[in-house]
Amino acid sequence: MTYLVSAPYTPTAEWGVRFSDPLFDIQWPLPVSNISDKDAGWPLYDVNAEPFFR
């Protein structure tokens, strides 16, 4: 993955959702066998939580 940024890295601005969130029902083509603790620990999607609800 490549992406451009316009400001320095700010850890407090990070957010994400769990790869296995049942709401999204993503059918991954291969079993997820290697995931970081950080990525495995993201919360389930909540439309009423920041940063999703504006």
Side-chain angles (χ1 to χ4, degrees):
M1 177 186 310
T2 301
Y3 59 95
L4 300 174
V5 296
S6 59
Y9 172 65
T10 308
T12 57
E14 281 189 334
W15 61 269
V17 293
R18 195 172 311 157
F19 77 98
S20 59
D21 192 319
L23 179 68
F24 300 124
D25 192 28
I26 297 172
Q27 303 299 310
W28 299 106
L30 297 171
V32 177
S33 60
N34 187 13
I35 186 165
S36 70
D37 291 340
K38 176 181 165 183
D39 288 335
W42 286 117
L44 297 176
Y45 184 79
D46 180 356
V47 296
N48 296 311
E50 287 290 337
F52 304 110
F53 183 75
R54 302 262 184 229

